[in-house]
Amino acid sequence: MGDVVTIGDFSRMTHLSVKTLRYYHQVALLVPVEIDADSGYRYYDIAQVPTAQVIRRFRDLDMPVDEVREVLAAPDVATRNQLISLHLERIERQLDQTQSAVTSLRNLLEGSEVPLTVEHRSMNQIPVLAIGESVSRDELGSWWSAAFGELRQAIRNNDCVVVGPPGGLYETDLFLHERGDALVYLPIQSEVNPAVPSGGRLQVMNLPESELAIMTHVGPHEDIDLTYGALGSYVTTHALGIEGPVHERYLICEFDTSDASQWRTEIGWPIFQTVP
Amino acid sequence: MGDVVTIGDFSRMTHLSVKTLRYYHQVALLVPVEIDADSGYRYYDIAQVPTAQVIRRFRDLDMPVDEVREVLAAPDVATRNQLISLHLERIERQLDQTQSAVTSLRNLLEGSEVPLTVEHRSMNQIPVLAIGESVSRDELGSWWSAAFGELRQAIRNNDCVVVGPPGGLYETDLFLHERGDALVYLPIQSEVNPAVPSGGRLQVMNLPESELAIMTHVGPHEDIDLTYGALGSYVTTHALGIEGPVHERYLICEFDTSDASQWRTEIGWPIFQTVP
DNA sequence: TTGCTCCTCACGTCACGTGAGGTGGC
DNA sequence: TTGCTCCTCACGTCACGTGAGGTGGC
């Protein structure tokens, strides 16, 4: 053990505040090499300075304390680098998201008016290959991607034909609270019955019949609340909304083009059928 | 007043959770048009949907609720756009900072070893034009820029000559806690006495004498804790550190070049003079 | 009438910052 | 001995989320 210094000196060396250092001790992120039993004084080894600096860099990047601890505890360089890369990817995704939020805000403020048309449609029962689960809003995005990945893989493995655009049903709990049932599907031919591995989350089922008011959203999913708002306003003024999951159909989506401005998403809001 | 809907419908229209809407009501960010006196039920006008969407966009960009409220309350478009631009600039600065934190982290992990040399120096009294104030760590950056702006302006107005690099003194409270005295200065010729407007924060003074252990930091200020750490370690092992503000001198800084990798900052750590 | 929506507390979260009040070390 | 450093609570911050327990509306 090398030279030890007080918390104040260590603070000056690392530019971490004393309060921060005490907190890091409390959560066992950075533990002083020695604690005086009588006074409770913390003493740090100057060899801990580089560790403290690494911690500061990760916290500057908003990496949660728990993850920083994992990175520091990583048994080998490979594991450590993997954890770091994961976080850097997350940062990059966040930068992308911020960028598109800025764009989206500018669009909203410049108020590009798109004429919106609503269609009433009766959805028949259709056979689908589906995955349904309870998810939280945070994880919805990654769940969505993973679920469609699995669905498409199953289609390929079964030599099955997809007969329409992908879609999803989302329980209102997902909006009311932060968690609810979601189901994504690919429509399939009724005569074909793909072998679904039992025990997995894949299922072959029929989509329930429903009456929907439908509006098509153009552009990235970031902005989908704009169309939801317009459709909701329409329904309260011109139709009779009822309980039930909202229905989305991805006419053009990330599987078709990476240019998000080209995407088209049909949104179906359940209504009471007034025009038979 | 147009059509009103319940909080649940409004939630579905805007993709804001019911809890979030209740919170926005509580903090008077988005107030329902009507509240039932008996039941406490909140009713929203569908004309409030666009406002809610704007709020969501700003919150996605981490604009604090208080500022969102200001933007919405802005009396005219000019004021509003100004507030938005200010925030977008802050976002951009933050993106820059994140970017440089990533770079800095990579450098740290790749461990580019710079040989560090320490020099002991006696600083004489020198006359300076200075600004000293108590500042918090958050505002130190902007305070620093503003203070040097004012100093340089005063120099220009007085036809005064600057006889050395700019510098600053920083109380240890700035590191120990989050607030402390900071003083930035430009060295001037002793025979010249610039007219300092009274009542302002400018002052002509002599820098106190001091004994310092000095190390030069190369690169952006993001990384300055590396050199602080190295210097602190040196002082504990090879010298006798004493209380007193740390001294920084900006040999090459943002006034000289925007290429931060070229910057040179002398850091002076107060020591007890052992070698007279 | 049932079951769903809505309500109000009260408390938790995350990473610290802000005092208050008190002790220890040079 | 003074004055500075350090200590431990307890509470505050920000923008909500998580229940608990209860009422209202169709």
Side-chain angles (χ1 to χ4, degrees):
Chain A
M1 199 162 64
D3 295 86
V4 301
V5 294
T6 62
I7 198 169
D9 285 333
F10 198 70
S11 166
R12 277 178 283 265
M13 288 179 194
T14 58
H15 283 196
L16 290 165
S17 81
V18 169
K19 293 283 183 183
T20 300
L21 288 171
R22 284 206 269 258
Y23 177 70
Y24 288 168
H25 179 198
Q26 185 189 322
V27 298
L29 177 61
L30 182 63
V31 179
V33 287
E34 193 189 326
I35 299 135
D36 188 288
D38 288 346
S39 65
Y41 274 36
R42 295 166 176 86
Y43 295 99
Y44 293 84
D45 193 315
I46 56 175
Q48 294 181 287
V49 168
T51 306
Q53 285 162 343
V54 170
I55 291 173
R56 209 166 78 88
R57 290 302 184 290
F58 283 119
R59 289 292 308 126
D60 283 350
L61 290 171
D62 286 322
M63 183 185 275
V65 161
D66 284 350
E67 267 177 63
V68 179
R69 199 189 296 107
E70 274 182 59
V71 171
L72 295 179
D76 56 282
V77 180
T79 313
R80 201 179 67 161
N81 284 346
Q82 204 185 347
L83 286 168
I84 294 168
S85 307
L86 276 173
H87 186 72
L88 290 184
E89 278 169 34
R90 218 162 48 198
I91 296 277
E92 278 172 30
R93 269 205 304 280
Q94 200 184 314
L95 290 182
D96 283 359
Q97 202 190 323
T98 303
Q99 193 52 57
S100 69
V102 170
T103 310
S104 157
L105 182 63
R106 289 215 184 281
N107 288 342
L108 193 60
L109 292 170
E110 282 160 16
S112 63
E113 286 299 325
V114 183
L116 299 166
T117 58
V118 181
E119 175 195 345
H120 289 211
R121 191 188 297 165
S122 296
M123 297 289 286
N124 295 324
Q125 276 199 345
I126 57 165
V128 296
L129 181 68
I131 291 176
E133 268 172 343
S134 167
V135 290
S136 75
R137 229 145 98 193
D138 296 348
E139 61 194 24
L140 186 58
S142 53
W143 178 85
W144 192 95
S145 303
F148 270 116
E150 202 173 325
L151 287 173
R152 286 149 63 91
Q153 187 61 48
I155 291 290
R156 277 194 293 275
N157 293 347
N158 280 280
D159 259 346
C160 199
V161 178
V162 174
V163 298
L169 298 179
Y170 305 95
E171 287 279 342
T172 59
D173 277 355
L174 255 170
F175 309 115
L176 294 178
H177 311 95
E178 289 287 301
R179 170 168 283 282
D181 286 338
L183 180 140
V184 292
Y185 68 83
L186 291 173
I188 54 175
Q189 288 168 298
S190 53
E191 55 270 25
V192 181
N193 218 341
V196 171
S198 69
R201 51 183 190 166
L202 284 169
Q203 49 179 319
V204 176
M205 60 178 290
N206 283 307
L207 233 50
E209 290 181 9
S210 55
E211 295 298 316
L212 301 171
I214 288 177
M215 203 176 257
T216 301
H217 172 68
V218 178
H221 276 176
E222 281 273 324
D223 286 337
I224 206 161
D225 61 325
L226 300 180
T227 307
Y228 265 91
L231 181 56
S233 299
Y234 168 84
V235 169
T236 37
T237 51
H238 299 98
L240 197 56
I242 59 172
E243 292 311 310
V246 294
H247 197 150
E248 292 185 359
R249 293 210 310 158
Y250 311 105
L251 306 186
I252 304 175
C253 69
E254 61 180 85
F255 305 133
D256 305 300
T257 171
S258 61
D259 176 7
S261 67
Q262 296 292 317
W263 294 354
R264 262 139 229 262
T265 308
E266 272 187 6
I267 303 172
W269 191 293
I271 53 171
F272 186 73
Q273 188 182 21
T274 47
V275 188
Chain B
M1 199 162 62
D3 294 84
V4 300
V5 294
T6 63
I7 198 169
D9 284 333
F10 198 70
S11 166
R12 276 178 284 264
M13 289 178 193
T14 58
H15 283 196
L16 291 165
S17 82
V18 170
K19 292 286 183 179
T20 301
L21 288 172
R22 284 206 269 257
Y23 177 69
Y24 288 168
H25 178 197
Q26 186 190 322
V27 298
L29 177 61
L30 182 62
V31 179
V33 287
E34 194 190 325
I35 299 136
D36 187 290
D38 287 347
S39 64
Y41 274 35
R42 293 165 176 87
Y43 294 99
Y44 294 85
D45 193 315
I46 56 174
Q48 292 180 289
V49 169
T51 307
Q53 285 163 342
V54 170
I55 291 172
R56 210 167 77 87
R57 291 300 184 292
F58 283 120
R59 288 293 306 125
D60 282 350
L61 290 172
D62 287 323
M63 182 186 274
V65 162
D66 283 351
E67 267 178 63
V68 180
R69 199 188 297 106
E70 273 182 60
V71 171
L72 295 178
D76 55 282
V77 180
T79 312
R80 202 180 65 162
N81 285 346
Q82 204 185 347
L83 285 168
I84 294 170
S85 307
L86 275 173
H87 185 72
L88 290 183
E89 277 170 36
R90 219 163 48 198
I91 296 279
E92 279 172 31
R93 269 205 305 278
Q94 199 184 313
L95 290 182
D96 282 358
Q97 201 189 324
T98 304
Q99 193 52 57
S100 69
V102 169
T103 309
S104 156
L105 181 62
R106 290 215 183 282
N107 288 341
L108 193 59
L109 292 170
E110 282 160 16
S112 62
E113 286 300 324
V114 183
L116 299 165
T117 57
V118 181
E119 175 195 346
H120 289 210
R121 192 188 298 163
S122 296
M123 298 288 287
N124 295 325
Q125 275 200 348
I126 56 166
V128 296
L129 180 67
I131 290 176
E133 268 171 343
S134 166
V135 290
S136 75
R137 232 149 94 198
D138 296 347
E139 61 194 24
L140 185 57
S142 53
W143 179 84
W144 192 95
S145 302
F148 269 117
E150 201 173 327
L151 287 174
R152 286 149 63 91
Q153 187 62 47
I155 292 291
R156 276 193 295 274
N157 292 349
N158 281 281
D159 260 343
C160 201
V161 179
V162 173
V163 297
L169 298 178
Y170 306 96
E171 287 280 343
T172 60
D173 277 355
L174 256 170
F175 310 115
L176 295 177
H177 311 96
E178 289 287 301
R179 169 169 285 282
D181 286 338
L183 180 140
V184 292
Y185 67 83
L186 292 172
I188 53 176
Q189 288 169 296
S190 53
E191 54 270 26
V192 181
N193 218 341
V196 171
S198 70
R201 51 183 190 166
L202 284 168
Q203 50 180 318
V204 176
M205 59 179 290
N206 282 308
L207 233 48
E209 289 180 12
S210 54
E211 295 298 317
L212 302 171
I214 289 178
M215 202 177 260
T216 302
H217 173 69
V218 178
H221 277 177
E222 280 274 325
D223 285 338
I224 206 160
D225 61 326
L226 299 180
T227 307
Y228 265 91
L231 181 57
S233 299
Y234 168 85
V235 169
T236 37
T237 52
H238 298 98
L240 197 57
I242 58 172
E243 293 308 311
V246 293
H247 197 150
E248 293 184 359
R249 293 212 309 159
Y250 311 103
L251 306 186
I252 304 174
C253 68
E254 61 180 86
F255 306 133
D256 305 300
T257 170
S258 61
D259 175 8
S261 68
Q262 296 292 316
W263 295 354
R264 262 136 230 266
T265 308
E266 272 188 7
I267 303 173
W269 191 292
I271 52 171
F272 186 74
Q273 188 181 22
T274 48
V275 188

